[in-house]
Amino acid sequence: MRKKIVAGNWKMNTTLQEGVGLAKDVNEALKKVQPKCDVVICVPFTHLAPVNDVIDQSKLGLGAENCADHDKGAYTGEVSAPMVASTGATYVILGHSERRQYYGETSDTLKTKVNLALQNNLTPIFCIGEVLEQRENGTYLDVVKSQIEEALFGLSADDFSKLILAYEPVWAIGTGKTATDDQAQEMHAFIRDVIEKQYGKKVSENISILYGGSCKPSNAAGLFAKPDVDGGLIGGASLDAESFMGIVNAF
Ligand code: 13P
């Protein structure tokens, strides 16, 4: 059975003090419930080690939002996968549309990052998704298929099985306009099919595919009820412990 997961992506939000406070609040809230899913927070690099000190990682996983495409060296300002792993984090978001859009990340760079993450025992949460124009001109399935093929199909089945995928339609991110339950299900089932053709049914059935894009407590249950939606990657609503827990408890 594949895992159900709710992961927060804090993006470039919270000071260190605010972030540690938020992590503590989520950690406390998780002590009071028996979540039916794994719960993860992905936080800015500066927050990783201090957040690791205040959470119980058996209940709340910790991840970074990116890592470099080199493992060390003269790359001023970059943070490598070994550095992320050395903080105690075990997840890393890769290929987020904001990284593709604003920082020019390509499938080639992402291929390298995924390999470095895996070599350092980090679980990549790999993001894919189409922009509005591609949704409207009907190419959205092909776009997402290419994103998966280009960056990930060089992996062995064993390595591919270690990934978590996150379908995040770019038009739904931070816009308040979520994909409908059926739009999410259509894409998730399609992604599983693409994976099955490359790696077989066992791999495709076991991989967790999260939905991201304006997911909130009020729409999470409907999305998570779809058979191929295995949880969510949550932006804005993960910045408040109560709303984040509202999504966790939607399972
Ligand atoms: P929002 O939940 O703020 O739309 O962001 C989604 C996202 O980009 C998570 O990675």
Side-chain angles (χ1 to χ4, degrees):
M1 263 292 277
R2 55 185 178 258
K3 278 187 181 161
K4 307 286 184 195
I5 303 162
V6 170
N9 172 10
W10 291 4
K11 308 192 179 183
M12 198 174 74
N13 291 297
T14 74
T15 62
L16 176 59
Q17 292 74 18
E18 290 163 349
V20 168
L22 175 56
K24 276 187 189 164
D25 288 348
V26 174
N27 192 64
E28 280 306 306
L30 282 169
K31 286 185 187 161
K32 299 186 192 119
V33 291
Q34 292 277 4
K36 295 197 184 72
C37 59
D38 287 3
V39 185
V40 177
I41 48 176
C42 296
V43 309
F45 292 130
T46 44
H47 299 21
L48 286 168
V51 165
N52 181 49
D53 286 343
V54 298
I55 63 171
D56 171 2
Q57 279 217 47
S58 68
K59 295 207 169 67
L60 178 59
L62 178 63
E65 301 172 13
N66 180 31
C67 72
D69 56 346
H70 297 274
D71 71 344
K72 63 176 175 178
Y75 302 100
T76 302
E78 288 293 295
V79 176
S80 69
M83 291 173 184
V84 169
S86 71
T87 67
T90 60
Y91 296 85
V92 60
I93 296 173
L94 292 174
H96 193 280
S97 62
E98 288 149 17
R99 303 266 352 144
R100 295 177 190 256
Q101 199 178 341
Y102 307 138
Y103 300 97
E105 292 199 356
T106 63
S107 293
D108 264 355
T109 333
L110 290 170
K111 207 189 286 186
T112 309
K113 291 188 179 197
V114 167
N115 278 315
L116 285 166
L118 290 172
Q119 282 163 27
N120 287 281
N121 297 317
L122 297 171
T123 299
I125 301 175
F126 191 84
C127 304
I128 53 213
E130 81 284 359
V131 299
L132 185 60
E133 190 193 344
Q134 295 159 335
R135 168 64 53 175
E136 288 178 343
N137 70 18
T139 57
Y140 58 100
L141 295 173
D142 288 338
V143 167
V144 167
K145 184 177 183 216
S146 299
Q147 288 173 339
I148 296 172
E149 284 173 349
E150 288 169 14
L152 303 176
F153 276 5
L155 293 171
S156 66
D158 198 33
D159 276 347
F160 190 91
S161 306
K162 295 174 185 158
L163 306 177
I164 296 166
L165 296 184
Y167 168 57
E168 301 206 302
V170 180
W171 47 270
I173 296 178
T175 58
K177 191 177 172 210
T178 185
T180 64
D181 304 345
D182 287 340
Q183 283 174 322
Q185 170 57 25
E186 180 200 30
M187 181 60 88
H188 285 225
F190 172 77
I191 292 170
R192 217 176 287 289
D193 202 49
V194 167
I195 296 168
E196 182 180 340
K197 290 199 173 83
Q198 179 76 8
Y199 290 108
K201 202 165 180 65
K202 198 167 153 214
V203 173
S204 76
E205 283 298 322
N206 279 317
I207 192 156
S208 299
I209 310 176
L210 315 185
Y211 168 81
S214 299
C215 187
K216 39 187 186 265
S218 58
N219 60 26
L223 288 158
F224 297 172
K226 291 293 174 185
D228 287 291
V229 178
D230 305 312
L233 183 57
I234 319 300
S238 72
L239 294 171
D240 174 79
E242 201 179 303
S243 66
F244 187 55
M245 288 306 297
I247 297 172
V248 169
N249 292 327
F251 266 119

